[in-house]
Amino acid sequence: MTSLNALPIPTQTSAVAQPNRWLSLDVLRGLTIAFMIMVNNNGDPNRAYWALQHTDWNGCTPTDIVFPTFLFLVGISTVLSVKARLAKGATKKSILLHTFRRAVSLFLLGLLVNNFPLFHLDTLRVYSVLQRISICYFIVSLLYLASPSWKNKALIALAALVSYWVLIRFVPVPGCGVPTHQVPLLDRNGNLAAWLDRQIFSASHLYDETSDPEGLLSTLPAVATTLFGMLAGIWLCTNKSITQKVTGIALAGLSGLLLGGIWNFEFPINKKLWTSSYVLYASGWSLLLLALTIWAMDMRGAYKPDATRRRLYLPLLVFGTNAIAAYLFSELLPGVLSPIHPQPTVNLLWWFYFKLLGVIGYPPVASLLFSICFLGVCWLAMYMLYRRRIFLKI
């Protein structure tokens, strides 16, 4: 994963000086990873609070905003990373090779996470979170290396969203028919994205057996999500004042929410299919979160010493500065703990959840406490790396 460290921005005359480092990006990334860990490890996901569950199909919960926000930050970090390397004299060829190695490494780590610890080839899942990040990161990096202009990125993102809508809405699904005519729009198994995944992989290799939330076709709008982050990164690197930047980002966020909400009536917001309306809606929230964190840390907190701000936001910086390591640790840890059985038919994680449930008596609270405890274990592991200045660089 590319680092989210920003380039030094030239100071200009304004009410608030430009920061030498966008601390807000590290903090927002840390918040995203922390929430992702809690969502993926909450005891009994079917009995967790609404906010800590994915929407069953159409609609959106806070949990559904987590992954697109991470992709959005990948887009920002790509701009900042490439600009930094070019400023240091790196050639585009060397950056391209570096990007390719990173993308391949992320993809392979995704395969490790998917299949740890058993590695059964007959059920090996190729699609997943890190694989999607890998592909989106590589594509947008190529686009930025080809041209740093924001205009072509905006046009490509728009084309991706419209193309995906056309494909899902109008192209007949073999064996099912035309959406909205022979088959309902966004039918769980009768949509083009699910059909395509079934042509590539058998049921044992797909997350839902008949489809996959990180499938091939939905990568197209996911690239648009990453490009919106890239557009935000390009905006942050302009000579606008920090106040203008925050205002522009906030207005763009509100526009995303409005446009996504309007498109929802024709093309429902759906995280598992990564619909175009979902891209706009989720990007709107990502932009608003970015504006809020920049305002709180790089504007409102600009007059505080950097060391003071770091101590204040240390819990999130521990995750934000070592995001890939935190994610890998949180995904591999259950595979290590699950074979441990305090009782013959109950593994260690379920045993701990049932203990909490026995004390609390209310499943949503027990699930939340389980998430917090799991997050605490991950945080302690990452804090030890943070103290030793050890950061996983892919």
Side-chain angles (χ1 to χ4, degrees):
M1 179 63 62
T2 55
S3 171
L4 286 183
N5 296 351
L7 285 174
I9 307 296
T11 301
Q12 53 188 293
T13 303
S14 62
V16 180
Q18 295 278 13
N20 288 325
R21 174 185 175 83
W22 295 102
L23 182 65
S24 51
L25 297 180
D26 288 328
V27 171
L28 180 55
R29 185 171 56 169
L31 177 64
T32 303
I33 286 293
F35 201 77
M36 184 182 292
I37 291 173
M38 291 183 66
V39 166
N40 292 344
N41 303 277
N42 53 13
D44 185 351
N46 296 320
R47 306 177 79 179
Y49 281 112
W50 163 82
L52 292 174
Q53 294 188 53
H54 286 292
T55 302
D56 181 53
W57 194 239
N58 293 338
C60 191
T61 71
T63 292
D64 295 320
I65 303 299
V66 174
F67 189 16
T69 298
F70 199 90
L71 276 180
F72 177 84
L73 290 171
V74 168
I76 297 177
S77 71
T78 300
V79 174
L80 303 178
S81 176
V82 171
K83 285 181 70 69
R85 291 176 64 83
L86 288 173
K88 293 178 181 177
T91 63
K92 287 188 176 182
K93 181 179 179 180
S94 67
I95 295 175
L96 177 60
L97 291 174
H98 183 68
T99 300
F100 179 74
R101 287 196 297 269
R102 282 182 166 178
V104 170
S105 298
L106 280 172
F107 199 96
L108 293 177
L109 286 174
L111 293 178
L112 169 67
V113 167
N114 280 359
N115 303 286
F116 181 83
L118 300 178
F119 300 101
H120 290 158
L121 295 180
D122 56 333
T123 58
L124 184 146
R125 181 182 172 220
V126 176
Y127 299 135
S128 196
V129 171
L130 289 179
Q131 289 90 323
R132 170 153 289 181
I133 293 173
S134 166
I135 294 171
C136 291
Y137 161 66
F138 185 68
I139 292 174
V140 301
S141 296
L142 290 181
L143 292 173
Y144 189 73
L145 283 171
S147 168
S149 170
W150 68 269
K151 293 181 181 179
N152 52 35
K153 311 300 181 300
L155 288 174
I156 293 171
L158 178 61
L161 296 183
V162 173
S163 298
Y164 188 64
W165 168 65
V166 170
L167 289 170
I168 297 296
R169 171 63 178 81
F170 295 103
V171 175
V173 180
C176 297
V178 179
T180 72
H181 290 72
Q182 289 82 26
V183 63
L185 180 64
L186 305 192
D187 183 82
R188 287 180 181 269
N189 299 320
N191 63 80
L192 188 64
W195 174 85
L196 180 60
D197 288 335
R198 293 196 296 271
Q199 308 314 301
I200 301 173
F201 295 108
S202 61
S204 62
H205 297 285
L206 298 175
Y207 184 82
D208 293 323
E209 295 189 347
T210 57
S211 62
D212 201 292
E214 282 82 42
L216 180 62
L217 191 59
S218 62
T219 302
L220 181 63
V223 168
T225 297
T226 318
L227 284 172
F228 284 135
M230 178 164 282
L231 289 170
I234 294 172
W235 175 251
L236 288 176
C237 291
T238 63
N239 290 324
K240 303 288 186 181
S241 71
I242 190 170
T243 302
Q244 290 174 313
K245 291 177 181 179
V246 170
T247 302
I249 290 170
L251 290 175
L254 293 174
S255 299
L257 292 181
L258 177 62
L259 293 173
I262 293 173
W263 207 347
N264 172 64
F265 292 105
E266 163 63 25
F267 195 27
I269 293 171
N270 186 301
K271 190 267 180 186
K272 291 185 178 180
L273 286 176
W274 214 281
T275 55
S276 304
S277 57
Y278 168 70
V279 171
L280 292 173
Y281 186 76
S283 296
W285 281 115
S286 300
L287 285 160
L288 289 176
L289 286 170
L290 177 62
L292 179 62
T293 51
I294 291 177
W295 172 81
M297 277 147 266
D298 296 314
M299 286 183 63
R300 192 168 178 270
Y303 302 107
K304 296 180 181 178
D306 189 62
T308 301
R309 291 192 295 160
R310 288 186 169 281
R311 285 194 297 269
L312 182 62
Y313 297 106
L314 179 65
L316 294 177
L317 286 174
V318 166
F319 283 132
T321 54
N322 223 349
I324 290 300
Y327 178 78
L328 286 173
F329 184 83
S330 70
E331 290 295 299
L332 297 178
L333 183 59
V336 174
L337 298 180
S338 293
I340 303 174
H341 288 73
Q343 297 177 6
T345 59
V346 180
N347 66 42
L348 182 60
L349 294 174
W350 274 106
W351 175 85
F352 182 64
Y353 170 72
F354 287 134
K355 286 294 183 181
L356 287 174
L357 185 60
V359 174
I360 304 299
Y362 185 53
V365 175
S367 178
L368 177 60
L369 288 177
F370 182 95
S371 296
I372 293 173
C373 291
F374 192 95
L375 180 67
V377 172
C378 295
W379 189 88
L380 288 174
M382 293 305 104
Y383 180 69
M384 288 189 288
L385 297 180
Y386 184 85
R387 285 291 301 270
R388 292 169 173 78
R389 313 303 297 170
I390 299 175
F391 304 102
L392 178 60
K393 300 294 182 182
I394 303 302

